[in-house]
């Protein structure tokens, strides 16, 4: 089954009870049992038909054994980190989403889970950072907001060699462009709020386990902690995923035109986009993914110039989040990555004048002219 077909027909694509081609919304909180312990569904926290259709779909799309849907991307990350115990050590990509940095340093650190942020594009650094108590390597690729690319297969081999679990945040590329499990990942994460939902109308997180044993561990955590996705949002996410393929292809076409314009603007400094031949990791990304996506970051003179640009843009909406049908624009240092100390941001390359855009589905000529005018203003 090809990818676009799987987006529509993967998982449980027909309601087994009625034959409905759109999985119904099952709002029930509990279910009748045919005798004690004889049931298909027991309690909605443990399992729900609408959520199950979504969870089966994402498992199919990522090539994993089990899928799990959570109330947000951060809830998904929290569930995965709860696989570990006090005294365990994790390696994380240094240029990681601000919320991931925050939860690891401000929340799980209090429970005795230690983390080291490393440049996972540097395989030697990764290997040298492994300790006896290290239990996992957690990679985000491409990263947010500098679009750094990690060699998933190479890190997977390092993880396997040292007996570590390998976790990949696949939010930016989506399963349409990139499938980390096929490259050696044990767990794949998504902030499904972004491209998978695609319409700025749902907040959700998805996790896929590569094998059943790991799936059982994650289901125990999901059921025990209860951060599940509700049936309404599960249904919205299934609907969004059906158009993921056509959206990702159109977004990429729009993005290439915008990047070409940015290259001609003298006031634009660095451009971060994996599709550029001179972008660090370009060749690696080309080898492990089918497309370069719709996320672009670029620098301008300073923070004041950046604020003027985001204020002037008409079709790029100043907002948090990404991956929607509408184009979005943000200043990471003041928004998505504000929770990271400024000294660390600057050390990573997240400058005050860094702007991040998420390219949407508007007419590409409107987008190009709008951003050009905002930059020149």
């Amino acid at each position: 089954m090809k990818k676009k077909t799987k987006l529509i027909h993967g998982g449980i694509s027909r309601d087994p009870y009625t034959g409905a081609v759109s999985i119904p919304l099952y709002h029930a909180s509990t279910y009748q049992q045919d005798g004690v312990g004889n049931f298909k569904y027991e309690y909605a926290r443990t399992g729900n038909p609408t959520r199950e259709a979504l969870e089966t779909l994402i498992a199919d799309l990522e090539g994993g054994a089990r899928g799990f849907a959570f109330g947000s991307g951060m809830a998904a990350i929290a569930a995965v980190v709860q696989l570990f115990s006090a005294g365990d050590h994790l390696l994380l990509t240094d240029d990681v989403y601000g919320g991931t940095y925050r939860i690891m340093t401000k929340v799980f650190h209090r429970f005795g889970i230690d983390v080291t942020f490393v440049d996972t594009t540097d395989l030697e650094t990764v290997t040298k950072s492994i300790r006896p108590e290290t239990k996992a390597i957690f990679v985000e690729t491409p990263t947010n907001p500098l679009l750094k690319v990690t060699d998933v297969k190479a890190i997977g081999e390092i993880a396997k060699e040292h007996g570590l679990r390998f976790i990949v945040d696949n939010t930016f590329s989506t399963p349409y462009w990139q499938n980390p499990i096929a490259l050696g990942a044990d767990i794949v994460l998504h902030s499904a709020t972004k491209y998978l939902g695609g319409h700025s109308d749902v907040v959700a997180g998805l996790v896929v386990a590569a094998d059943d044993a790991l799936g059982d561990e994650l289901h125990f955590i999901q059921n025990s902690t209860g951060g599940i996705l509700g049936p309404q949002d599960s249904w919205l996410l299934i609907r969004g995923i059906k158009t993921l393929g056509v959206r990702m292809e159109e977004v990429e076409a729009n993005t290439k035109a915008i990047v070409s314009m940015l290259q001609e603007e003298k006031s634009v400094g660095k451009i971060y986009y994996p599709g550029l031949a001179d972008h660090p990791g370009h060749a690696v990304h080309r080898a492990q993914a089918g497309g370069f996506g719709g996320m672009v970051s670029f620098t301008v003179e300073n923070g004041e110039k950046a604020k003027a640009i985001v204020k002037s843009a008409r079709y790029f909406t100043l907002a948090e989040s990404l991956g929607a049908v509408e184009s979005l624009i943000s200043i990471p240092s003041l928004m998505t990555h504000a929770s990271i100390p400024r000294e660390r941001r600057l050390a990573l390359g997240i400058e005050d004048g860094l702007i991040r855009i998420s390219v949407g589905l508007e007419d590409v000529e409107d987008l190009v002219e709008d951003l050009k005018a905002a930059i020149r203003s």
Side-chain angles (χ1 to χ4, degrees):
M1 193 186 301
K2 302 297 184 184
K3 284 193 174 183
K4 284 182 181 174
T5 305
K6 190 177 286 188
L7 292 171
I8 297 170
H9 295 286
I12 303 170
S13 59
R14 300 288 184 273
D15 179 43
Y17 309 107
T18 67
V21 297
S22 175
I23 298 296
L25 284 162
Y26 288 93
H27 282 293
S29 62
T30 192
Y31 308 86
Q32 180 181 350
Q33 300 186 18
D34 296 328
V36 177
N38 183 18
F39 54 82
K40 180 173 175 60
Y41 298 97
E42 176 187 17
Y43 184 61
R45 171 166 40 80
T46 310
N48 169 277
T50 312
R51 191 176 85 235
E52 182 186 14
L54 169 63
E55 293 175 329
T56 307
L57 175 58
I58 192 60
D60 270 3
L61 296 178
E62 285 290 9
R66 300 276 297 278
F68 304 93
F70 296 88
S72 69
M74 291 314 304
I77 289 173
V80 169
V81 177
Q82 286 173 79
L83 289 167
F84 306 101
S85 304
D88 288 348
H89 172 249
L90 280 63
L91 296 179
L92 252 72
T93 300
D94 54 2
D95 176 36
V96 73
Y97 167 57
T100 306
Y101 178 87
R102 179 177 58 222
I103 197 172
M104 295 306 303
T105 59
K106 302 296 185 182
V107 179
F108 283 111
H109 180 72
R110 302 194 336 246
F111 294 89
I113 296 176
D114 193 15
V115 60
T116 299
F117 294 93
V118 299
D119 182 0
T120 52
T121 69
D122 186 335
L123 302 181
E124 184 177 353
T125 297
V126 171
T127 302
K128 288 181 177 179
S129 300
I130 296 173
R131 308 174 189 169
E133 64 271 24
T134 304
K135 302 299 182 192
I137 304 175
F138 185 155
V139 164
E140 186 180 287
T141 183
T143 62
N144 182 3
L146 299 178
L147 288 305
K148 291 170 67 175
V149 176
T150 292
D151 188 328
V152 176
K153 185 176 181 180
I155 295 292
E157 291 171 354
I158 292 172
K160 185 176 181 180
E161 179 184 349
H162 291 83
L164 309 178
R165 282 177 169 166
F166 181 29
I167 305 158
V168 177
D169 187 326
N170 199 30
T171 298
F172 273 21
S173 284
T174 81
Y176 188 71
W177 288 138
Q178 182 171 268
N179 298 115
I181 288 175
L183 299 170
D186 298 305
I187 297 172
V188 175
L189 286 161
H190 290 278
S191 172
T193 310
K194 314 304 193 295
Y195 286 110
L196 295 180
H199 293 77
S200 299
D201 56 9
V202 61
V203 173
L206 297 176
V207 178
V208 178
D211 59 66
D212 285 318
L214 187 51
D216 287 343
E217 290 186 63
L218 283 165
H219 184 259
F220 178 82
I221 290 169
Q222 182 192 48
N223 186 45
S224 299
T225 58
I228 57 168
L229 190 66
Q232 177 73 35
D233 288 342
S234 295
W235 184 86
L236 283 171
L237 204 45
I238 292 170
R239 186 175 69 167
I241 288 172
K242 288 180 180 180
T243 61
L244 178 65
V246 292
R247 287 190 286 107
M248 293 305 290
E249 291 184 1
E250 184 72 7
V251 159
E252 180 150 324
N254 285 355
T255 303
K256 289 178 179 177
I258 290 168
V259 169
S260 180
M261 178 274 292
L262 289 173
Q263 289 177 299
E264 297 175 359
E265 290 299 307
K266 294 180 180 180
S267 62
V268 171
K270 301 171 188 174
I271 302 173
Y272 301 93
Y273 180 60
L276 290 173
D278 60 354
H279 182 86
H282 168 80
V284 171
H285 188 84
R286 180 181 287 277
Q288 69 187 17
F292 298 106
M295 298 303 301
V296 181
S297 294
F298 62 94
T299 61
V300 292
E301 184 179 354
N302 53 45
E304 292 306 311
K305 172 70 172 176
K307 285 190 279 188
I309 289 172
V310 301
K311 185 177 181 180
S312 298
R314 295 174 58 206
Y315 301 128
F316 285 85
T317 302
L318 177 61
E320 301 276 356
S321 200
L322 58 98
V325 293
E326 55 274 339
S327 295
L328 303 176
I329 192 166
S330 66
I331 301 175
S333 64
L334 301 176
M335 299 171 72
T336 55
H337 290 68
S339 60
I340 298 176
R342 185 170 186 270
E343 295 76 16
R344 176 169 174 77
R345 289 200 307 266
L346 294 176
L348 291 171
I350 304 174
E351 304 172 26
D352 294 342
L354 182 74
I355 294 173
R356 190 194 73 182
I357 59 172
S358 170
V359 180
L361 299 181
E362 299 92 343
D363 188 286
V364 67
E365 292 184 11
D366 286 335
L367 293 177
V368 168
E369 291 305 315
D370 181 40
L371 190 56
K372 182 190 295 185
I375 290 170
R376 292 182 179 181
S377 68

